[in-house]
């Protein structure tokens, strides 16, 4: 089936003229029309536009003017990444009709290589959540068991790739939103170093933590997508000009002599099944020549409060722009300016977004600023130092991605604190700005996927991708029966 193929093999088939972009896009559109009603992975799909673009791509190829070897391959994009002329809702009522007048840098990069837009994927509202249950458009479903969550916030992207509704996808990761849904849905998900990919055109949640990254079915494909979107962009002053040294050909999978740290804190509270699978994979890496040692990331216990103070503080500031004046929802019956603000925000934002705006506003308010926000910044510094210490001894750190596999829809949504706690193994990476990848390594007794996390020092994407490529070789492919 076309929709079972990797990006690399679709590219080969296109290069050999064994298939056209139109045929590929038709196959994915068919798969979407068969499955999206059940899985709710996409918010927006525009088949007419896609088929026009596919035709143009085929013409480019037949006249030898393809933009890259990937020209004509369609990719899903999370709905907080701006796409000119195509709705970008952030899964929020307040932006439910927002059509951006410009492209995000990451998407611009994809287009410049000939990748096409398959559709915009579902997510937690403004990327705040771990399940997609806070989406204004309803939750996405896990393709391995539709009673279970796909993870979040980039749940729609993970579901699309896992169920063959897209060969790859872009997502964003502020505290785990790529790695956790990748783990829950049995696909590869990578969050790069902060600054590797421009955030221009990514709707801001928590600007010092947000990064765009990629989902794919293989490590090689994830490297293809990440190398495409990487690069300096003057419109994001935090984007950094660094060489991209992790294209698929650069990843040998050779791990001999690579020093791997295993942090004991990252196994606390982890289900026995997950811990056993991860430890087994670590011992296989050791057999392939990696040097494994126990390390300690002793400030891990502060990661949740630190993250939820900083993320909500930044969110309360970023989301101040949704005032009903410039874009988004404009409610009826407005009498004056304060009414406009009040009604737009009250009607436009969902419960979780409001909770976070309130939390963030509180911790930034005078009198509380030092006790909460400043203290959180100090905690962040300790977490950064923890990683600096670790990376003076090891090349990479391996851990589980999540403490459990995908849980039931509705199980945690009424207990925000418990939901926040579930992010414990992914958020430190964002606080430190380092890259992390989730690789599918097996399933639990209920058939739900398990992810293995590899973290590296800043700009060491090549190291973690190489390790991931090695781990991938020792795993059977996991696929949902859907
Ligand atoms: N689950 C985390 C949160 O709710 C992370 C979300 C994300 O990475 N966007 O903030």
């Amino acid at each position: 089936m076309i929709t079972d193929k990797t990006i690399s093999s679709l590219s080969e088939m296109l290069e050999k003229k064994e298939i056209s972009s139109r045929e590929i896009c038709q196959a994915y559109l068919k798969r979407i029309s068969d499955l999206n009603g059940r899985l709710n992975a996409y918010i927006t799909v525009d088949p007419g536009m896609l088929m026009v673009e596919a035709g143009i791509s085929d013409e480019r190829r037949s006249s030898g003017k393809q933009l890259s070897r990937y020209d004509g391959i369609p990719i899903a994009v999370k709905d907080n990444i701006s796409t000119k002329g195509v709705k970008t809702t952030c899964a929020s009522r307040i932006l439910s009709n927002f059509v951006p007048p410009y492209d995000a840098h990451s998407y611009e990069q994809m287009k410049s290589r000939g990748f096409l837009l398959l559709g915009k994927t579902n997510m937690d509202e403004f990327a705040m959540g771990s399940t997609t249950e806070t989406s204004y458009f309803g939750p996405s479903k896990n393709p391995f068991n539709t009673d279970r969550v796909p993870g979040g916030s980039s749940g729609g992207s993970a579901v699309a790739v896992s169920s063959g509704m897209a060969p790859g996808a872009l997502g964003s990761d502020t505290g785990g939103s790529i790695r956790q849904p990748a783990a829950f849905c049995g696909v590869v998900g990578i969050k790069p170093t902060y600054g590797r990919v421009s955030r221009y055109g990514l709707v801001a949640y928590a600007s010092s933590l947000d990064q765009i990254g990629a989902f794919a079915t293989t490590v090689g494909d994830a490297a293809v997508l990440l190398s495409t979107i990487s690069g300096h962009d003057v419109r994001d002053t935090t984007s950094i000009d660094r060489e991209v040294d992790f294209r698929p050909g650069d990843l040998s999978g050779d791990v001999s002599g690579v020093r791997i740290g295993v942090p004991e804190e990252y196994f606390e509270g982890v289900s026995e099944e997950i811990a056993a699978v991860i430890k087994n994979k670590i011992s296989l890496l050791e057999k392939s020549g990696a040097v494994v040692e126990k390390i300690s990331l002793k400030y891990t216990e502060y990661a949740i409060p630190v993250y939820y103070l900083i993320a909500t503080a930044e969110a309360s500031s970023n989301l101040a722009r949704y005032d009903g004046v410039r874009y988004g929802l404009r409610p009826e019956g407005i009498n004056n300016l304060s009414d406009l603000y009040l009604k737009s925000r009250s009607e436009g934002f969902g419960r979780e977004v409001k909770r976070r705006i309130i939390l963030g506003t509180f911790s930034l308010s005078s009198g509380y600023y030092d006790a909460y926000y400043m203290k959180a910044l100090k905690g962040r510094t300790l977490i950064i130092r923890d990683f600096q210490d670790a990376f003076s001894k090891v090349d990479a750190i391996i851990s589980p991605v999540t403490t459990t596999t995908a849980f039931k829809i509705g199980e945690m949504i009424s207990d925000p604190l418990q939901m926040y706690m579930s992010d414990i193994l992914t958020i430190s990476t964002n606080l430190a700005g380092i890259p992390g990848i989730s690789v599918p390594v097996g399933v639990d007794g209920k058939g739900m996927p398990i992810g293995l996390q590899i973290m590296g020092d800043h700009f060491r994407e090549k190291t973690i991708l190489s390790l991931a490529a090695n781990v991938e070789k020792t795993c059977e492919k996991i696929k949902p029966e859907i």
Side-chain angles (χ1 to χ4, degrees), residues 78 127-130 152-153 172-177 205 307-308 356 423:
K78 186 177 181 180
M128 298 176 187
S130 309
S153 64
S172 68
D173 190 314
T174 304
S177 276
Y205 160 20
Y307 170 85
Y308 276 97
R356 294 191 187 203
D423 296 330

Side-chain angles (χ1 to χ4, degrees), residues 96-151:
S96 52
N97 279 318
F98 175 58
V99 178
Y102 57 88
D103 283 327
H105 179 258
S106 52
Y107 175 56
E108 219 171 56
Q109 298 278 93
M110 298 292 290
K111 281 208 311 203
S112 73
R113 308 284 295 277
F115 283 103
L116 310 179
L117 178 65
L118 195 40
K120 301 297 295 287
T121 53
N122 199 10
M123 52 183 280
D124 283 290
E125 185 179 1
F126 283 102
M128 298 176 187
S130 309
T131 61
T132 69
E133 289 168 290
T134 71
S135 167
Y136 174 60
F137 302 98
S140 299
K141 312 282 170 66
N142 193 308
F144 284 83
N145 179 342
T146 52
D147 292 336
R148 293 184 180 255
V149 301

Side-chain angles (χ1 to χ4, degrees), residues 1-3 5 9-25 27-28 58 61 71-73:
M1 231 169 39
I2 293 173
T3 53
K5 304 229 177 287
S9 54
L10 288 173
S11 156
E12 245 166 63
M13 291 171 77
L14 282 165
E15 294 275 282
K16 290 188 191 146
K17 308 226 180 310
E18 290 168 3
I19 200 169
S20 66
S21 170
R22 289 178 61 84
E23 286 166 316
I24 296 174
C25 293
Y28 279 105
D58 285 335
R61 245 179 220 284
D71 198 333
I73 298 179

Side-chain angles (χ1 to χ4, degrees), residues 153-452:
S153 64
S154 318
S157 287
V159 172
V161 175
S162 165
S163 62
M165 287 196 278
L170 300 188
S172 68
D173 190 314
T174 304
S177 276
I178 290 176
R179 291 158 289 150
Q180 184 255 24
F184 278 5
C185 293
V187 296
V188 177
I190 182 161
K191 174 202 102 70
T193 308
Y194 186 81
R196 174 71 87 175
V197 177
S198 166
R199 289 178 296 110
Y200 177 78
L202 169 70
V203 180
Y205 160 20
S207 309
S208 77
L209 303 160
D210 297 340
Q211 259 305 279
I212 298 173
F215 292 90
T217 55
T218 65
V219 173
D221 278 3
V224 167
L225 295 180
L226 185 59
S227 60
T228 305
I229 60 176
S230 293
H232 181 57
D233 171 25
V234 287
R235 296 165 302 182
D236 171 5
T237 49
T238 63
S239 96
I240 296 173
D241 195 5
R242 279 296 272 255
E243 189 206 348
V244 173
D245 57 354
F246 50 83
R247 296 201 166 82
D250 301 328
L251 310 173
S252 63
D254 178 10
V255 299
S256 52
V258 176
R259 295 164 304 168
I260 294 171
V262 181
E264 44 193 334
E265 294 83 356
Y266 277 59
F267 287 82
E268 280 165 23
V270 171
S271 87
E272 276 174 29
E273 261 178 312
I274 294 180
V277 172
I278 303 300
K279 286 189 173 147
N280 173 257
K281 291 295 167 194
I282 293 171
S283 64
L284 289 179
L285 282 166
E286 202 167 13
K287 281 193 191 124
S288 318
V291 181
V292 176
E293 67 179 90
K294 279 205 180 112
I295 59 165
S296 170
L297 292 168
K298 54 183 181 301
Y299 293 111
T300 303
E301 63 171 310
Y302 298 122
I304 300 271
V306 165
Y307 170 85
Y308 276 97
L309 281 163
I310 293 176
T312 55
E314 292 184 17
S316 74
S317 159
N318 277 326
L319 270 59
R321 71 189 62 163
Y322 304 105
D323 53 10
V325 176
R326 284 162 289 188
Y327 37 64
L329 182 77
R330 172 67 67 99
E332 305 281 309
I334 304 290
N335 299 317
N336 54 49
L337 190 61
S338 60
D339 227 29
L340 174 65
Y341 294 160
L342 190 69
K343 283 212 170 107
S344 309
R345 292 170 72 80
S346 307
E347 292 175 20
F349 292 135
R351 279 176 71 88
E352 183 59 29
V353 173
K354 284 181 190 158
R355 176 172 13 247
R356 294 191 187 203
I357 292 173
I358 292 168
L359 279 170
T361 307
F362 176 77
S363 69
L364 288 176
S365 56
S366 69
Y368 295 103
Y369 185 90
D370 288 334
Y372 294 108
Y373 184 66
M374 274 308 280
K375 199 150 191 181
L377 291 183
K378 288 177 185 164
R380 183 177 191 170
T381 302
L382 295 176
I383 289 166
I384 292 171
R385 286 202 194 132
D386 244 2
F387 281 108
Q388 280 170 345
D389 277 355
F391 288 122
S392 67
K393 295 182 213 115
V394 297
D395 303 306
I397 298 173
I398 295 191
S399 76
V401 183
T402 54
T403 53
T404 65
T405 53
F407 42 88
K408 291 215 173 82
I409 295 175
E411 194 177 319
M412 255 203 248
I413 193 70
S414 51
D415 186 349
L417 195 58
Q418 199 196 346
M419 187 79 92
Y420 297 170
M421 299 296 274
S422 73
D423 296 330
I424 180 70
L425 304 179
T426 50
I427 47 186
S428 299
T429 310
N430 302 74
L431 290 166
I434 59 174
I437 187 168
S438 173
V439 196
V441 285
V443 290
D444 70 3
K446 296 196 180 75
M448 300 310 290
I450 295 173
L452 172 141

Side-chain angles (χ1 to χ4, degrees), residues 16-83:
K16 290 188 191 146
K17 308 226 180 310
E18 290 168 3
I19 200 169
S20 66
S21 170
R22 289 178 61 84
E23 286 166 316
I24 296 174
C25 293
Q26 250 149 12
Y28 279 105
L29 288 172
K30 167 83 173 51
R31 185 90 180 148
I32 292 171
S33 79
D34 289 347
L35 289 182
N36 199 48
R38 270 158 75 201
L39 298 177
N40 201 23
Y42 285 95
I43 293 174
T44 303
V45 179
D46 184 342
M49 187 187 80
L50 178 62
M51 291 314 295
V52 169
E53 292 291 337
I56 297 172
S57 165
D58 285 335
E59 273 169 34
R60 274 198 298 264
R61 245 179 220 284
S62 56
S63 54
K65 293 201 179 107
Q66 59 268 35
L67 297 170
S68 80
R69 51 178 316 195
Y70 304 106
D71 198 333
I73 298 179
I75 296 294
V77 174
K78 186 177 181 180
D79 214 17
N80 59 352
I81 297 174
S82 297
T83 43

